[in-house]
Amino acid sequence: MTASSTTASAGVANGQPAARLWSSRFAFILAATGSAVGLGNIWKFPYITGENGGGAFVLVYLFCIALIGLPIMMGEVLIGRRGHHNPINSMRSLALSDGRSSRWQGLGWMGVIASFIILSFYSVIGGWAVSYVGSSASGAFVGADADQVGGIFGNLLASPGDLLLWHTVFMAMVIVVVARGVRAGLEKAVTLLMPALFVLLLLMVGYAMTTDHFGAGVDFLFTPDFSKLTTEGILTAMGHAFFTLSLGMGVMMAYGSYLPREVSIVKVSIAVSFMDTLVALLAGLAIFPIVFATGLEPGAGPGLIFQTLPLAFGQMTGGAFFGTLFFVLLVFAAWTSAISLLEPLVSWLEEHKDVNRLASTLGAGFMVWLLGIASILSLNLWSDFHPLGMFTMFEGKTIFDLLDFFTANVMLPLGGLLVALFVGWGMKRASVESELGMESSVAFSLWYGLVRYVTPLGVLVVFVYNLA
Ligand code: PHE
């Protein structure tokens, strides 16, 4: 979308036409929360919490969000707004203007590439969620036993045709929104979807309260039992803090570049981190009581919401209705995250290559769709194809596993580490201070200390551990 296609006048503070800026602080919070709240909150957080024994893990996770996630989010939004371009050009211009090497733009590149790759398989899982809305609504889970529910999931994964259909539907939903631009597409979508998501989530929690195991769910999430905490659990919590806040891949930079100057980066970052955490906890409160009520295991792993939960819904009164609501909620969450994953590449094509919004979105979306097919086939026809199997580390990993591994365990922490180093050590302190609007305050010194020392160290530990 170009300036001429908007009625609002061009030339707003960021050097962006009005149609390319969020209309308000609230719009940014909704959009960034939409990005942050996704499969990570509703699918991954509950199952890793289940696998890691509950309360103590949750506590560590909260610390990671506050001490590592939030400081990096502020850094990314700051880079985006100050650079006011796509992640690659923003990194380049900020590095040069603070007397650093233009090679820092590599961080922008890595972000754009990582978000592109992540979206390719994120969309496949988003597709599962779409298909589950249909299964649940048609009553497929009502009264089903574990084998039948497992069969539905197994059949879906075994069928390249079905997976491709749902992946295509999901990518089409993403493209339709992104093609319309920042204000008319992204902002409008999140303004409708995010409040709906909250309502659905609260309904789900309300439903969980009607089971007689709500207390057990609360207990599981909030009563820490440190004997259940492992080193691995701590590192998982740290790694997940990145993923769930959409950090380390240029998304918050791209969204930050559309943030009007007068908005406080500190306040919006705190709001987004808070909402993201709230949703993860509410998702836990919605899911675990239902799981316990039917005597199922919380530590079921990745299948928790696609196998355990449908089984639980199938046995409860009102389960078909609430099960369907749950999967609609999951689709909304995945959708608003997926649009943010397409944005870095689209904004680069648009600004740097001068391709119009529609063509950029279609081009980028098509490439993502194509790459997604590799993940689809990894689940069935290519499940025995292990391209890097000659290295013990990658033994038995399919293309899907490898894409997930390299993005989540390598590119994402590396991106976060570089963001912390860039704002903490690369940029001039004065530039950072003025962009945050926190000149010589105690809060600034606190944040600066975190971003310079604590965050890089924390990330380094996770990074090395995950590779070792
Ligand atoms: N934060 C999203 C989630 O929790 C995933 C995501 C990661 C989105 C990175 C954008 C960028 O599901």
Side-chain angles (χ1 to χ4, degrees):
M1 174 145 324
T2 60
S4 56
S5 61
T6 71
T7 43
S9 65
V12 186
N14 288 32
Q16 300 266 28
R20 296 204 46 170
L21 285 181
W22 306 113
S23 64
S24 65
R25 171 169 93 175
F26 185 60
F28 172 85
I29 294 178
L30 280 187
T33 304
S35 169
V37 170
L39 296 168
N41 302 62
I42 297 169
W43 170 58
K44 197 159 180 198
F45 174 77
Y47 93 72
I48 57 178
T49 300
E51 284 180 336
N52 286 286
F57 174 84
V58 172
L59 204 63
V60 174
Y61 170 79
L62 295 179
F63 272 101
C64 293
I65 292 284
L67 296 181
I68 299 183
L70 175 62
I72 295 193
M73 179 180 295
M74 287 168 57
E76 277 200 36
V77 176
L78 169 149
I79 292 172
R81 187 170 72 184
R82 198 167 178 84
H84 63 71
H85 278 293
N86 63 81
I88 298 170
N89 294 26
S90 287
M91 279 305 301
R92 183 185 157 81
S93 78
L94 289 188
L96 291 177
S97 70
D98 276 6
R100 297 293 170 180
S101 157
S102 64
R103 276 194 229 127
W104 275 105
Q105 71 176 315
L107 171 56
W109 271 107
M110 196 171 70
V112 169
I113 294 169
S115 52
F116 173 81
I117 297 176
I118 291 188
L119 182 54
S120 77
F121 60 81
Y122 201 85
S123 165
V124 174
I125 306 178
W128 300 355
V130 178
S131 107
Y132 266 59
V133 173
S135 309
S136 184
S138 69
F141 301 125
V142 177
D145 61 22
D147 285 343
Q148 287 163 324
V149 173
I152 291 175
F153 192 51
N155 286 341
L156 175 64
L157 298 201
S159 161
D162 286 356
L163 290 173
L164 185 64
L165 169 70
W166 298 118
H167 166 56
T168 308
V169 169
F170 189 81
M171 273 315 293
M173 288 160 56
V174 174
I175 289 171
V176 164
V177 173
V178 177
R180 304 173 97 91
V182 176
R183 208 176 266 191
L186 275 54
E187 181 170 326
K188 207 160 182 187
V190 296
T191 316
L192 294 172
L193 293 175
M194 293 312 288
L197 183 141
F198 270 97
V199 172
L200 290 176
L201 190 56
L202 291 177
L203 271 175
M204 290 304 305
V205 175
Y207 179 63
M209 281 176 165
T210 66
T211 68
D212 28 335
H213 285 71
F214 190 69
V218 174
D219 229 33
F220 183 71
L221 278 173
F222 298 114
T223 312
D225 173 356
F226 287 97
S227 69
K228 288 194 182 141
L229 194 62
T230 58
T231 329
E232 186 164 358
I234 298 177
L235 296 168
T236 305
M238 246 197 245
H240 186 61
F242 270 94
F243 185 79
T244 191
L245 292 179
S246 304
L247 301 176
M249 56 189 69
V251 167
M252 289 297 164
M253 288 185 203
Y255 273 22
S257 73
Y258 312 133
L259 187 65
R261 283 231 77 88
E262 63 279 8
V263 174
S264 154
I265 291 177
V266 187
K267 283 189 193 151
V268 291
S269 303
I270 292 177
V272 173
S273 307
F274 175 79
M275 304 270 266
D276 183 74
T277 308
L278 184 69
V279 171
L281 296 175
L282 287 175
L285 283 180
I287 291 171
F288 289 117
I290 296 175
V291 170
F292 290 136
T294 33
L296 294 165
E297 268 304 308
L304 181 67
I305 66 168
F306 290 108
Q307 287 178 281
T308 312
L309 208 57
L311 183 58
F313 282 129
Q315 297 173 16
M316 307 182 81
T317 25
F321 178 71
F322 283 99
T324 309
L325 280 193
F326 177 81
F327 288 107
V328 171
L329 163 76
L330 189 65
V331 169
F332 284 5
W335 192 7
T336 52
S337 295
I339 60 180
S340 77
L341 283 165
L342 195 56
E343 188 60 26
L345 178 58
V346 167
S347 71
W348 179 75
L349 285 171
E350 217 187 347
E351 293 173 357
H352 197 78
K353 295 277 171 220
D354 229 8
V355 184
N356 73 38
R357 183 89 190 176
L358 180 63
S360 306
T361 311
L362 286 174
F366 176 73
M367 301 295 286
V368 169
W369 177 81
L370 209 60
L371 184 61
I373 295 176
S375 293
I376 289 179
L377 294 175
S378 301
L379 296 167
N380 36 68
L381 302 179
W382 293 355
S383 62
D384 291 326
F385 176 46
H386 308 139
L388 297 181
M390 56 281 202
F391 305 104
T392 32
M393 189 177 173
F394 301 124
E395 235 169 77
K397 284 201 189 306
T398 62
I399 297 182
F400 191 160
D401 299 333
L402 289 171
L403 292 178
D404 178 26
F405 179 87
F406 279 111
T407 48
N409 293 357
V410 181
M411 297 173 96
L412 206 133
L414 192 62
L417 176 65
L418 291 173
V419 167
L421 294 177
F422 185 68
V423 294
W425 301 91
M427 286 176 77
K428 294 207 175 94
R429 180 180 172 127
S431 315
V432 176
E433 251 181 323
S434 84
E435 192 63 40
L436 289 180
M438 308 170 81
E439 282 88 347
S440 47
S441 67
V442 182
F444 179 81
S445 307
L446 188 72
W447 173 79
Y448 210 46
L450 282 176
V451 114
R452 298 188 98 187
Y453 304 101
V454 180
T455 312
L457 242 149
V459 181
L460 213 63
V461 172
V462 184
F463 192 42
V464 171
Y465 175 86
N466 276 339
L467 290 183

